[in-house]
Amino acid sequence: RGFILCHENEKDIFGCSPERELELMEHFGGRLKAVLDPGNFAFCFEDASKGYPLLKDYIHYFHIKDADESGAIVPPGKGVACLYETLKAINEDRKGKVILTMEPHLMNFTGLSSLSKLDDIHHVYSFETPFEAFKVATEAVREMVSKL
């Protein structure tokens, strides 16, 4: 019917680690695609460097978020989500358009509590407005992409 069913690696669900998300993908034999968010692996204290290599054959698109070693949400490239390395691998492996969606979560925002437990979300950077936070995130990604 033209639908693509996707699973995102989120905290506190079965697919919160690269290995468990791969298990899901293999279980569904290609009928389920992955939305890879390396920042969520970092946020869950999982090794984000394993995400893309394990899941690359199943990934439909990518979310951009980063977290540091303490699990605090940080601007892209400032944490341990291996974003530059992942973008580099994507650039080498894929031809044509690649969908990257910005999901930096650098500030609490309306609706965040419906996506995550707010007591889990910690920030070490502060921003005056959501627009400033989003600008910092997008500029960081643009800088990483320009180095590819």
Side-chain angles (χ1 to χ4, degrees):
R1 301 202 188 247
F3 289 98
I4 298 172
L5 300 177
C6 297
H7 176 274
E8 180 184 353
N9 57 294
E10 291 280 355
K11 187 170 184 174
D12 297 330
I13 63 172
F14 183 81
C16 68
S17 74
E19 296 82 6
R20 289 178 76 174
E21 180 139 4
L22 178 61
E23 186 178 335
L24 267 176
M25 296 301 117
E26 290 175 340
H27 176 80
F28 286 98
R31 295 184 316 273
L32 181 66
K33 298 295 182 187
V35 176
L36 180 67
D37 188 332
N40 280 343
F41 288 141
F43 185 55
C44 295
F45 307 105
E46 295 288 338
D47 183 355
S49 70
K50 294 179 181 179
Y52 181 75
L54 282 176
L55 299 165
K56 68 181 179 179
D57 294 335
Y58 299 98
I59 298 169
H60 185 60
Y61 68 96
F62 304 85
H63 282 180
I64 302 295
K65 181 191 304 110
D66 208 342
D68 68 14
E69 59 281 337
S70 74
I73 305 298
V74 297
K78 301 287 186 188
V80 295
C82 303
L83 289 176
Y84 178 76
E85 296 81 0
T86 299
L87 291 171
K88 187 173 188 240
I90 293 165
N91 189 52
E92 292 168 358
D93 290 347
R94 294 183 175 226
K95 304 298 177 225
K97 294 181 181 179
V98 173
I99 301 169
L100 304 175
T101 61
M102 296 301 297
E103 191 180 270
H105 291 248
L106 293 172
M107 296 179 73
N108 287 344
F109 57 87
T110 304
L112 181 60
S113 63
S114 66
L115 300 174
S116 187
K117 295 182 284 189
L118 291 181
D119 58 343
D120 284 353
I121 307 286
H122 305 286
H123 299 101
V124 291
Y125 290 75
S126 64
F127 300 95
E128 294 285 322
T129 67
F131 301 104
E132 178 191 11
F134 197 76
K135 181 179 178 185
V136 166
T138 55
E139 286 176 354
V141 173
R142 284 185 178 122
E143 184 178 330
M144 284 186 261
V145 169
S146 75
K147 293 178 181 177
L148 298 177

